[in-house]
Amino acid sequence: GPDGEAGSPRAAFYLDGLDIKTLFEVLLLSSGKTDHDAFPFPAGLRVVYDPGRMPLERVTEIRLQRAERYEILSVRSGPPYYRLALSLHNAEAVLYAGKTTPGARRITPRTADGTPVADLKMTILDADHSAPGTQEIKEWGALFFFLLSLPDTDGDGIPDVPMWYAD
């Protein structure tokens, strides 16, 4: 990462619904060119698409998970803005693909209030705001600490993954 340590840091920024649709349209264009093991699978979103439609017009609906139910995401420009967290490496790749894909809308990372972010390094998550500089949260660390935060529902001392993740 930018701190010189191994691993890509986590970054977080906001996108409007149209940016999220564009992101998945671009990912669908590249999905036939990559191994499915390398294709990103979003947590908290369900994307409905029609592979028979024209490229960049295949996504027909995006559903956003709210607790144990899904609601239809507003696919329009402007508010509301939705927070997206991913590795800095993936963020740079997705934004580059959106910028260089003919016919695709340029994807604009934003702050919570909708202000465009000029430098993606400003979106790196800081593990300790009281320490000087940015203490990068690495991709592997985010997963590790998330798993540790899960409840131990059966009392065996090991966190348990909630059943609603099985869906």
Side-chain angles (χ1 to χ4, degrees):
D3 66 356
E5 299 293 323
S8 183
R10 296 287 290 172
F13 50 84
Y14 292 79
L15 297 177
D16 64 29
L18 196 52
D19 281 335
I20 292 173
K21 180 182 183 299
T22 300
L23 173 121
F24 285 105
E25 294 286 3
V26 169
L27 289 173
L28 284 169
L29 281 175
S30 65
S31 68
K33 300 174 184 159
T34 184
D35 183 331
H36 284 293
D37 289 339
F39 189 78
F41 292 94
L45 290 176
R46 287 191 176 166
V47 179
V48 179
Y49 66 97
D50 180 351
R53 293 181 72 172
M54 295 292 294
L56 301 176
E57 291 296 327
R58 293 181 176 152
V59 174
T60 58
E61 185 177 86
I62 302 172
R63 298 179 192 142
L64 175 66
Q65 186 172 12
R66 299 279 191 198
E68 295 186 25
R69 64 181 178 80
Y70 284 85
E71 63 185 45
I72 304 224
L73 184 132
S74 173
V75 181
R76 63 185 174 116
S77 181
Y81 298 105
Y82 303 93
R83 189 166 189 251
L84 180 72
L86 65 168
S87 72
L88 181 65
H89 173 77
N90 285 336
E92 290 169 337
V94 163
L95 296 177
Y96 178 78
K99 184 171 32 177
T100 60
T101 301
R105 176 180 188 259
R106 178 175 241 154
I107 298 169
T108 305
R110 300 176 182 279
T111 61
D113 67 4
T115 304
V117 173
D119 182 2
L120 271 183
K121 288 188 176 83
M122 300 305 296
T123 68
I124 294 173
L125 297 176
D126 190 353
D128 184 358
H129 295 287
S130 65
T134 302
Q135 318 316 305
E136 295 180 6
I137 298 173
K138 301 297 184 175
E139 189 84 326
W140 61 266
L143 175 62
F144 175 77
F145 289 112
F146 169 72
L147 292 173
L148 283 180
S149 76
L150 295 174
D152 176 13
T153 57
D154 59 11
D156 66 357
I158 300 171
D160 297 295
V161 177
M163 286 305 298
W164 58 277
Y165 276 107
D167 189 21

